[in-house]
Amino acid sequence: MEITKTTGDLSPQKIAQKTVYPILLMICFSHLLNDLMQSVIPSVYPLIKDKYNFSFSQIGIITFTYQITASLLQPLIGFYTDRKPQPYSLPLAMIFTMGGIIALSFADNFYFFLGAVALIGLGSSIFHPESSRVAYLASGGRKGLAQSIFQLGGHAGTAIGPLLAALIVIPFGQFSLIYFCIAACIGMLILSRIGKWYEEHLQFRKKYSSDNSQAHVEGISKNRVMISMAILLILLFSKYIYMASMTSYFTFYLIDKFNISVEYSQYYLFAFLASVAVGTMIGGPVGDFIGRKYVIWISILGVAPFTWLLPHMNLEWTVIFAILIGLILSSAFSAIMLYATDLVPGKIGTIAGLFYGLMFGIAGIGSAALGWIADRTSIEYVFTICSYLPFIGIIAIFLPNIRNPQSESSRK
């Protein structure tokens, strides 16, 4: 099948200049399915904690195992695929994730759970670098929009996971997790089609990459680039430690402080994660228009007043503040990663693998550490200390302003 048939009769030259929405929507939906299955892990924590008498520390170690498995391999896979792209590695990622879901449905002890989540982490480590490259190639230069569409799928899947857990897993038990394999089978079919488009597109990749690589950091020294990358990593730390507190422990916080049921806690977690999905869609296009630095600044530091006040609110205001936090904070990752690709052009897979890997690694270490703290203090104390993390966002002021010629032209 020729490229022109899979992209709405566009010629090769036009493909380089126009956003290929069918491919973006397909990779968005694939990301939704991938992250939906991954979000099952924290969604069933209250169930398995009671069933197997796990401590908060063990819950944190389960998250740590999943996140570290994903984080260690992603930079290596991204570095390798920058040199040798692997279009058909995408459906392979779904196979590993499906294997982890099957194992999770049968797991009956702590170490079995660790092996199951490690398989899911391996699937994630393969999926994200190459799928990010697909979004980049299909962007037509509108990188922020493309990354937001791609991220929207992931966050929507992460939000739907707890909802499905509340409707399926909580009422029918652990074995019902196996029904999520349907999502993996659908994902494999879609990603096989995307892989074919990607393979056909590779013959144009070097030409388009060389065009895009001209639009970067003129006048910024290598030392300044390295300092800027370090600032981005610190900002990732503040964002994903806080996100780890919400995704892994928000349900426990609500149950412990407000004495609500497990089912209702899942609905409130869904509300938070849904707001993250909505906010993600806003951040990319805004970054294309006003600049990624300002989106980073607003999304991390701007959320600080809400995180600081959240531990002092009643149930209704806690949920409202959680939704506002999700909306504001969610745009940061796309802006940070694209800002990094502007600093180091031509390394899409490496940057995507590094930043996704760090995202999972930071969240995993943070979740384990927060679980350890919760066992020795309380869940409320965890949310109190995490409330100060977004104030780290003030260091974004030291990031240089980077002009993106593609975004400049998109305004005209």
Side-chain angles (χ1 to χ4, degrees):
M1 186 179 295
E2 298 177 358
I3 280 182
T4 54
K5 291 182 180 179
T6 60
T7 55
D9 297 325
L10 295 176
S11 68
Q13 268 77 23
K14 289 182 179 179
I15 291 172
Q17 300 169 353
K18 293 190 176 182
T19 306
V20 188
Y21 287 104
I23 296 300
L24 284 179
L25 293 176
M26 289 168 71
I27 201 65
C28 170
F29 186 64
S30 300
H31 200 186
L32 182 151
L33 296 174
N34 181 79
D35 285 23
L36 182 152
M37 290 182 287
Q38 293 173 10
S39 70
V40 166
I41 299 172
S43 297
V44 298
Y45 283 167
L47 177 68
I48 65 174
K49 185 179 185 296
D50 291 339
K51 184 176 181 180
Y52 299 104
N53 295 316
F54 290 158
S55 67
F56 282 120
S57 294
Q58 287 176 303
I59 293 293
I61 292 170
I62 291 172
T63 301
F64 174 80
T65 300
Y66 159 65
Q67 305 282 23
I68 287 298
T69 305
S71 66
L72 290 178
L73 290 176
Q74 288 202 49
L76 297 176
I77 291 172
F79 182 79
Y80 177 77
T81 56
D82 271 335
R83 287 152 178 77
K84 295 182 179 180
Q86 304 293 320
Y88 292 101
S89 64
L90 290 169
L92 177 64
M94 282 288 179
I95 293 174
F96 281 109
T97 300
M98 183 169 67
I101 292 293
I102 294 171
L104 204 59
S105 68
F106 286 97
D108 59 1
N109 62 71
F110 179 63
Y111 296 103
F112 202 158
F113 275 103
L114 294 184
V117 299
L119 276 176
I120 297 174
L122 180 58
S124 176
S125 69
I126 297 171
F127 176 82
H128 284 103
E130 283 294 75
S131 57
S132 292
R133 191 195 312 278
V134 169
Y136 178 86
L137 292 174
S139 69
R142 302 180 69 184
K143 295 188 290 183
L145 174 64
Q147 191 61 217
S148 283
I149 292 173
F150 174 65
Q151 291 292 329
L152 173 65
H155 287 303
T158 302
I160 293 171
L163 185 62
L164 293 180
L167 295 174
I168 299 173
V169 182
I170 301 299
F172 299 105
Q174 179 184 341
F175 183 73
S176 63
L177 286 167
I178 204 164
Y179 294 118
F180 286 84
C181 291
I182 297 171
C185 293
I186 295 171
M188 281 186 272
L189 292 174
I190 296 172
L191 289 170
S192 295
R193 176 68 179 270
I194 291 173
K196 186 169 181 61
W197 177 87
Y198 183 8
E199 185 177 47
E200 293 169 347
H201 202 89
L202 286 177
Q203 58 184 304
F204 306 103
R205 175 177 173 268
K206 287 185 179 179
K207 177 181 176 181
Y208 301 155
S209 295
S210 62
D211 290 341
N212 290 337
S213 66
Q214 302 303 314
H216 95 277
V217 288
E218 293 182 6
I220 299 179
S221 67
K222 288 184 178 180
N223 285 340
R224 187 73 188 278
V225 169
M226 292 178 64
I227 292 171
S228 298
M229 291 291 284
I231 291 172
L232 295 178
L233 297 182
I234 294 171
L235 294 175
L236 271 186
F237 170 85
S238 68
K239 170 179 166 60
Y240 281 102
I241 294 292
Y242 189 84
M243 289 295 288
S245 73
M246 295 296 287
T247 56
S248 293
Y249 300 110
F250 189 50
T251 53
F252 294 115
Y253 174 77
L254 295 173
I255 293 168
D256 181 71
K257 184 172 182 178
F258 302 109
N259 198 30
I260 65 173
S261 67
V262 172
E263 288 82 1
Y264 274 101
S265 73
Q266 296 290 339
Y267 295 137
Y268 292 139
L269 178 60
F270 167 75
F272 166 74
L273 295 173
S275 72
V276 170
V278 173
T280 297
M281 194 60 205
I282 298 171
V286 171
D288 279 341
F289 187 75
I290 69 172
R292 312 198 204 287
K293 174 181 175 179
Y294 301 107
V295 174
I296 294 169
W297 176 270
I298 294 168
S299 65
I300 295 183
L301 186 61
V303 82
F306 300 102
T307 62
W308 183 64
L309 288 170
L310 183 139
H312 310 287
M313 298 291 104
N314 60 22
L315 176 60
E316 290 74 17
W317 279 104
T318 294
V319 175
I320 291 170
F321 272 40
I323 291 171
L324 291 173
I325 289 167
L327 283 170
I328 299 169
L329 192 59
S330 58
S331 61
F333 182 74
S334 294
I336 288 172
M337 194 176 78
L338 290 172
Y339 187 96
T341 62
D342 290 339
L343 285 171
V344 189
K347 302 292 183 183
I348 305 303
T350 302
I351 293 297
L354 175 63
F355 279 78
Y356 273 109
L358 286 170
M359 175 186 76
F360 284 111
I362 290 168
I365 294 170
S367 182
L370 294 176
W372 183 87
I373 293 170
D375 279 335
R376 283 151 183 80
T377 56
S378 68
I379 284 291
E380 286 192 49
Y381 181 73
V382 165
F383 276 78
T384 299
I385 60 174
C386 286
S387 68
Y388 295 96
L389 286 169
F391 287 98
I392 296 174
I394 196 168
I395 66 172
I397 196 172
F398 298 110
L399 291 172
N401 292 318
I402 299 177
R403 291 185 60 199
N404 187 340
Q406 290 169 336
S407 65
E408 291 291 331
S409 63
S410 69
R411 299 184 206 181
K412 297 177 182 179

